[in-house]
Amino acid sequence: MTNDSAQALCTNAKWIGRAHCGKCHIRQLMLFSDLPENAFDHLLQPIDQFTYPPGSVIYQADTHKPFIYSIRRGMVKLAHLAQDGSNRIVRLLGPGAAVGLELLDGAENYHHTAIAITEVDLCKIPVPTIRQLEDNHPALCMHVGRQLQEQLNLADQWIVALSTGTARQRVAQLLLVLDEFFADENDAFILLSREDMAAMTGIAVETVSRMIADFKRQKLLYRHRENYYMCNVAALEQITRLD
Amino acid sequence: MTNDSAQALCTNAKWIGRAHCGKCHIRQLMLFSDLPENAFDHLLQPIDQFTYPPGSVIYQADTHKPFIYSIRRGMVKLAHLAQDGSNRIVRLLGPGAAVGLELLDGAENYHHTAIAITEVDLCKIPVPTIRQLEDNHPALCMHVGRQLQEQLNLADQWIVALSTGTARQRVAQLLLVLDEFFADENDAFILLSREDMAAMTGIAVETVSRMIADFKRQKLLYRHRENYYMCNVAALEQITRLD
DNA sequence: CGAGGGGTTGACGCCGATCAAAGCTGGTGG
DNA sequence: CCACCAGCTTTGATCGGCGTCAACCCCTCG
């Protein structure tokens, strides 16, 4: 619950290069999937790629920059920081997700603070460019809708799974989310900091630590390699049902 | 936490009549705002209006009917019912909101159970009709996007405000939500059942009852007329900050 | 080597879940 | 018209989970 938002700023983001959306190798994941290659020939403003180190603030709630971001690699958290220092994470996003979409629906400012959890690669897309592409390619509008629907599903799951039940149930659900959405090819995922897990589930850091330590002792959670963990899905699902 | 989902079914919904969207007096609120009047001249399938009594199940999670609904009057809750009987409400919607939008993004089934809280009037819109209108009027696509963004904002607020903090803070937040979004012209709102409030905040029915009774005794919440209440907004906002 | 940050563990007290019982209200039938 | 009942709300008593405070460990970095 401590205020760590100032620990890192996005000033250290590194420019990777101009994005070539027509030839993007993960385009089917991204916002621009199945737009024609030539859609990107005459953009009002260019789309650039950046790398952000862990902890970088991509944007802050209630501020305004005319960009949305598409995640190419890494994990991003969307958080709500209250004035009293409390810090609730409302979403965890990975490759293919877009953040800052509220700007497309007339929002003046970002609704959350977006922070890189791991090192991330982002495409930084100017809002006017999106509008231009939407005008020329109505299909993009559908993709934005799909992104929103996807995030709405995540938000609903967040309420049902991560904000309901006992502390042990919530932490178990969180591990299942990490396993389902953020595991690598070995089925291993990065174990988040206790503080982030606390902010995601709305419970105290110490309680999260106890639950995680407990799961490790019970071998429901075990290290695959440095900072990567695997979990016993069936056992954790059991816990989410009967405390 | 008791299982009351079977208490009422939607079979008692009453047909009001064929909707005349071009002349709908609340069209600016609805999904079809600023489509031209003649857009509705040759619909594949007609749009009808229905009235549902309180408690009606409009649709059930994991079932399939090819309709989305637009709320003309009344309050609707979207709930997630777990197999163990627990019941978490993830959204509360009023006039102008659309429900069942997940069907437009390829979802096979509804993601929640939608239940009328008050008596409601709904427009029942066939999915093929939406698709037809989208094809002919790309602007509709934007409106769907706006609806989704709106609901995403609500879901995020739900996490931050109604699923975080002490029981007294959550109930105070809930009253503020009712006051902000569901109050009538006298600034009075219907006080929900304790069970619904419990399912919205994720706390026990008895605890909700205690908090509400407490607020009444402190005159932070007082009856305006039968089942309609008003609240002291400033005092409740105070409570949401310092428990 | 010392300082600092994150994680773990322990002790304690309180919030809130649970169980239980008693008002209240509206509906039903005698 | 009243008795009765069912469902909802309120209130009380009890107890356990978890928030809080504190100490300690481990690791990294200056």
Side-chain angles (χ1 to χ4, degrees):
Chain A
M1 292 288 177
T2 65
N3 185 348
D4 68 339
S5 68
Q7 72 180 27
L9 291 165
C10 65
T11 50
N12 45 4
K14 277 206 291 275
W15 185 69
I16 300 179
R18 180 63 35 91
H20 301 289
C21 302
K23 307 204 180 305
C24 171
H25 65 289
I26 55 167
R27 188 148 69 99
Q28 74 290 350
L29 265 186
M30 308 294 277
L31 205 50
F32 298 141
S33 58
D34 70 42
L35 292 197
E37 280 201 31
N38 65 16
F40 310 100
D41 288 349
H42 302 290
L43 294 181
L44 280 175
Q45 295 177 45
I47 297 170
D48 285 329
Q49 298 179 53
F50 293 87
T51 289
Y52 294 74
S56 308
V57 176
I58 299 161
Y59 56 74
Q60 279 195 309
D62 303 319
T63 65
H64 176 85
K65 297 187 295 176
F67 299 105
I68 71 172
Y69 300 85
S70 188
I71 305 172
R72 295 174 59 83
R73 182 177 64 92
M75 289 170 72
V76 172
K77 62 179 175 183
L78 299 189
H80 175 94
L81 307 164
Q83 60 291 356
D84 63 359
S86 73
N87 164 9
R88 191 78 154 88
I89 297 174
V90 300
R91 217 161 303 134
L92 201 55
L93 297 168
V99 297
L101 291 174
E102 55 268 34
L103 296 187
L104 299 183
D105 275 292
E108 188 68 19
N109 296 314
Y110 294 115
H111 288 165
H112 315 93
T113 296
I115 299 179
I117 291 188
T118 61
E119 180 173 278
V120 296
D121 292 347
L122 300 179
C123 289
K124 181 177 179 179
I125 310 168
V127 171
T129 298
I130 291 276
R131 299 225 182 280
Q132 178 193 9
L133 287 167
E134 274 181 344
D135 286 345
N136 299 337
H137 305 277
L140 177 55
C141 205
M142 304 284 291
H143 286 120
V144 173
R146 199 149 311 191
Q147 283 277 345
L148 289 171
Q149 180 67 53
E150 191 62 35
Q151 296 209 23
L152 188 56
N153 295 343
L154 289 175
D156 289 341
Q157 274 187 43
W158 208 269
I159 296 168
V160 170
L162 300 186
S163 304
T164 305
T166 64
R168 126 177 277 100
Q169 285 175 318
R170 296 186 194 193
V171 174
Q173 294 271 21
L174 176 53
L175 293 175
L176 290 172
V177 168
L178 293 174
D179 179 75
E180 182 178 354
F181 294 107
F182 297 96
D184 62 17
E185 62 283 359
N186 300 316
D187 224 30
F189 51 85
I190 295 174
L191 200 55
L192 306 177
S193 76
R194 305 297 172 267
E195 184 167 350
D196 279 343
M197 291 198 263
M200 289 182 204
T201 52
I203 62 187
V205 174
E206 295 92 329
T207 305
V208 173
S209 177
R210 272 181 249 272
M211 298 304 152
I212 292 290
D214 210 31
F215 289 155
K216 284 181 185 171
R217 279 188 286 267
Q218 292 182 48
K219 309 290 183 202
L220 305 184
L221 179 69
Y222 40 93
R223 182 158 76 247
H224 176 255
R225 61 184 194 278
E226 183 52 43
N227 207 21
Y228 278 77
Y229 282 77
M230 301 173 64
C231 65
N232 180 335
V233 173
L236 290 177
E237 281 175 347
Q238 189 73 3
I239 288 175
T240 64
R241 285 190 285 270
L242 342 136
D243 180 19
Chain B
M1 291 290 176
T2 65
N3 186 347
D4 67 340
S5 66
Q7 71 182 24
L9 290 164
C10 65
T11 50
N12 46 4
K14 278 206 290 276
W15 185 67
I16 300 179
R18 182 62 37 89
H20 301 289
C21 302
K23 306 206 181 304
C24 171
H25 65 290
I26 56 167
R27 189 148 68 100
Q28 74 290 349
L29 264 185
M30 308 295 276
L31 205 50
F32 298 142
S33 58
D34 70 41
L35 292 197
E37 280 201 30
N38 66 15
F40 310 99
D41 288 349
H42 303 290
L43 294 181
L44 279 174
Q45 295 177 44
I47 297 170
D48 285 329
Q49 299 178 54
F50 293 87
T51 289
Y52 294 74
S56 308
V57 175
I58 299 161
Y59 57 73
Q60 280 196 309
D62 303 320
T63 66
H64 175 83
K65 296 188 295 177
F67 299 105
I68 70 171
Y69 299 85
S70 187
I71 305 172
R72 296 174 59 84
R73 182 177 63 92
M75 289 169 72
V76 173
K77 62 179 175 183
L78 299 189
H80 176 94
L81 307 165
Q83 60 291 356
D84 63 358
S86 73
N87 163 10
R88 191 78 156 86
I89 296 175
V90 300
R91 217 161 303 135
L92 201 56
L93 297 168
V99 297
L101 291 174
E102 56 267 34
L103 296 188
L104 299 183
D105 275 294
E108 188 69 19
N109 296 314
Y110 294 115
H111 288 164
H112 314 94
T113 296
I115 299 179
I117 291 189
T118 62
E119 181 173 278
V120 297
D121 291 348
L122 300 179
C123 288
K124 181 176 179 178
I125 310 169
V127 169
T129 298
I130 291 275
R131 298 225 182 279
Q132 178 193 8
L133 287 166
E134 274 181 345
D135 285 346
N136 299 336
H137 306 277
L140 177 56
C141 204
M142 305 283 290
H143 286 118
V144 173
R146 199 148 313 190
Q147 283 276 345
L148 289 171
Q149 180 66 54
E150 189 64 35
Q151 296 208 23
L152 188 55
N153 295 343
L154 289 175
D156 289 341
Q157 275 186 42
W158 207 271
I159 296 168
V160 170
L162 300 186
S163 304
T164 306
T166 65
R168 121 177 283 102
Q169 286 175 318
R170 296 187 194 192
V171 175
Q173 294 271 22
L174 175 54
L175 293 175
L176 291 172
V177 167
L178 292 175
D179 179 75
E180 182 179 353
F181 294 106
F182 297 97
D184 62 17
E185 62 284 358
N186 300 315
D187 225 30
F189 52 83
I190 295 174
L191 200 55
L192 305 177
S193 75
R194 305 295 171 269
E195 184 167 350
D196 278 344
M197 291 196 264
M200 290 183 204
T201 52
I203 62 187
V205 174
E206 296 92 328
T207 305
V208 173
S209 178
R210 273 181 247 273
M211 297 304 151
I212 292 291
D214 210 31
F215 289 155
K216 284 181 185 171
R217 278 188 287 266
Q218 292 182 49
K219 310 288 184 203
L220 304 184
L221 179 67
Y222 39 94
R223 182 160 74 249
H224 175 257
R225 63 184 193 279
E226 183 51 45
N227 207 20
Y228 278 78
Y229 282 78
M230 302 173 63
C231 66
N232 181 333
V233 173
L236 290 176
E237 281 175 346
Q238 189 72 2
I239 288 175
T240 65
R241 284 189 287 269
L242 341 135
D243 180 19

